[in-house]
Amino acid sequence: MPIKIQSDLPVKEILEKENIFVMDEHRAMHQDIRELEILILNLMPLKEETELQLLRSLSNTPLQVNVTFMTVESHESKNTSMSHLNKFYQTFPELCDRKFDGMIITGAPVEQMEFEEVDYWEELVEIMDWTTSHVTSTIYLCWAAQAGLYHHYGLKKRPLDEKMFGLFWHKVMNRKIPLVRGFDDMFLAPHSRHTEVPIEDIHNCSELTVLAESEEAGLFLAMSDGGRKIFVMGHPEYDRITLDGEYKRDLSRNLPIDIPKNYYREDNPQNRPLLMWRAHANNLYTNWLNYYVYQSTPFDLYGTPFTEE
């Protein structure tokens, strides 16, 4: 699938070296097709790293995707330059009159704070409410999944005794639902978090359908509203070395951290991490784009109103 991005986005060169089909604006102007409009609200501190991970994840179908990056106004980024944000990101007031086929809201390293203590919480609530009338399907990742479950359904998170960190086995539920089409019965996926939404609370919410869960890590994947809202409690977009970087970062800060589970050969951090989740991660994003975005979105985004809750 060609990913349409700005021609001078720094990660473009990396994607091209990985043989990912990247199309800039000039070439896209000569394509007589209706591209999918995907909005990414990037709440992660290392924005370029997350850009690269998500663009990789969206690159595995024949569909053409135009990606727009959004940042929040009510928080000042300390790890990404203002020049990068000003050039490649837009804010909610700049985008609120537009409609999008799909949206991804990333996680954020604020999970140990109460939601209302996060400085951009009110802005995020406004954005989450806006998606119900302006986006065909929205994926909430990790902390954003907890935030979405709390805001939309009142489900509270709770702290874990120790960080859920590494690769965990999950079982597929409700196999006939297209979002998990092609998944194996059991699969590995990364988690990296200090809190969780209790799986029993999620099962008890009649509006939610659980699609994959883990005996050890709890929820991985759930959806509601016919796929208009999709909650991913892990990090399927992570690349091979992301957990390795987090582990070594926490060690260098003398923070309590265990070796990520099921990640290094022989549990030895000197060994190269094993990449054992990429196929299912690609499958998840491909199914989302195909069945819950492309197959569901109106051809004319602005001529066909979305059904609000």
Side-chain angles (χ1 to χ4, degrees):
M1 169 183 64
I3 298 285
K4 179 187 168 188
I5 56 177
Q6 289 176 247
S7 58
D8 50 354
L9 186 72
V11 300
K12 178 174 182 285
E13 183 178 352
I14 300 174
L15 293 167
E16 290 176 331
K17 287 180 179 178
E18 296 177 4
N19 291 322
I20 291 175
F21 187 3
V22 179
M23 182 182 296
D24 61 25
E25 303 101 316
H26 176 74
R27 182 171 180 181
M29 287 174 61
H30 298 87
Q31 301 284 317
D32 187 22
I33 62 174
R34 155 78 158 82
E35 60 197 8
L36 295 178
E37 296 288 342
I38 303 297
L39 178 62
I40 297 176
L41 173 55
N42 190 351
L43 300 174
M44 293 295 282
L46 300 176
K47 299 200 183 302
E48 291 185 55
E49 179 180 296
T50 304
E51 293 164 13
L52 181 59
Q53 293 170 357
L54 288 174
L55 290 174
R56 281 193 190 116
S57 299
L58 296 173
S59 66
N60 291 286
T61 80
L63 304 169
Q64 182 172 315
V65 170
N66 180 37
V67 175
T68 301
F69 289 104
M70 180 165 66
T71 187
V72 288
E73 280 191 310
S74 42
H75 177 79
E76 181 178 347
S77 178
K78 299 177 182 177
N79 297 280
T80 302
S81 69
M82 285 305 300
S83 61
H84 184 86
L85 291 172
N86 290 335
K87 190 168 188 177
F88 300 111
Y89 281 72
Q90 298 180 64
T91 61
F92 182 59
E94 296 173 310
L95 295 167
C96 64
D97 291 332
R98 292 181 57 184
K99 290 187 175 182
F100 291 88
D101 300 299
M103 182 175 182
I104 298 172
I105 304 177
T106 74
V110 294
E111 59 187 301
Q112 291 175 292
M113 301 170 62
E114 295 297 328
F115 292 117
E116 291 82 2
E117 293 175 355
V118 176
D119 55 8
Y120 51 81
W121 177 249
E122 290 186 6
E123 183 178 1
L124 180 59
V125 166
E126 184 179 7
I127 292 169
M128 289 190 288
D129 288 339
W130 169 86
T131 64
T132 63
S133 57
H134 287 76
V135 181
T136 302
S137 178
T138 301
I139 287 182
Y140 296 79
L141 290 175
C142 199
W143 177 80
Q146 297 183 28
L149 290 169
Y150 175 69
H151 174 62
H152 293 299
Y153 305 111
L155 301 183
K156 296 181 179 180
K157 64 180 179 177
R158 66 185 177 191
L160 295 167
D161 294 334
E162 58 183 33
K163 186 176 183 180
M164 193 71 65
F165 189 49
L167 303 180
F168 297 89
W169 285 102
H170 303 79
K171 59 183 177 181
V172 173
M173 323 281 284
N174 293 289
R175 176 168 293 283
K176 293 183 180 180
I177 292 179
L179 193 59
V180 291
R181 187 165 290 169
F183 276 49
D184 294 328
D185 290 339
M186 301 287 293
F187 65 94
L188 285 165
H191 288 261
S192 178
R193 51 187 168 81
H194 293 275
T195 57
E196 69 174 359
V197 178
I199 188 66
E200 58 270 18
D201 292 350
I202 296 168
H203 279 296
N204 288 334
C205 181
S206 61
E207 295 173 275
L208 291 167
T209 300
V210 175
L211 302 178
E213 64 181 43
S214 166
E215 291 184 3
E216 191 172 2
L219 178 73
F220 177 72
L221 181 63
M223 67 178 235
S224 65
D225 200 15
R228 294 285 307 278
K229 301 181 187 73
I230 294 170
F231 304 94
V232 184
M233 198 62 73
H235 281 287
E237 78 283 359
Y238 270 11
D239 60 31
R240 181 192 299 271
I241 61 171
T242 306
L243 292 174
D244 177 67
E246 292 183 7
Y247 173 64
K248 292 173 179 174
R249 176 202 65 199
D250 287 357
L251 279 181
S252 70
R253 297 175 180 174
N254 294 315
L255 296 173
I257 187 67
D258 292 329
I259 294 173
K261 294 186 177 182
N262 304 314
Y263 183 57
Y264 299 112
R265 289 185 179 89
E266 301 174 343
D267 283 334
N268 184 348
Q270 301 304 314
N271 291 332
R272 190 176 189 225
L274 294 168
L275 182 58
M276 299 188 293
W277 64 94
R278 178 67 57 80
H280 280 86
N282 288 342
N283 202 3
L284 172 62
Y285 285 102
T286 297
N287 286 345
W288 175 63
L289 283 174
N290 184 24
Y291 298 115
Y292 297 90
V293 180
Y294 176 70
Q295 301 288 349
S296 300
T297 195
F299 183 82
D300 180 358
L301 271 174
Y302 295 91
T304 307
F306 289 113
T307 301
E308 297 192 37
E309 291 181 304

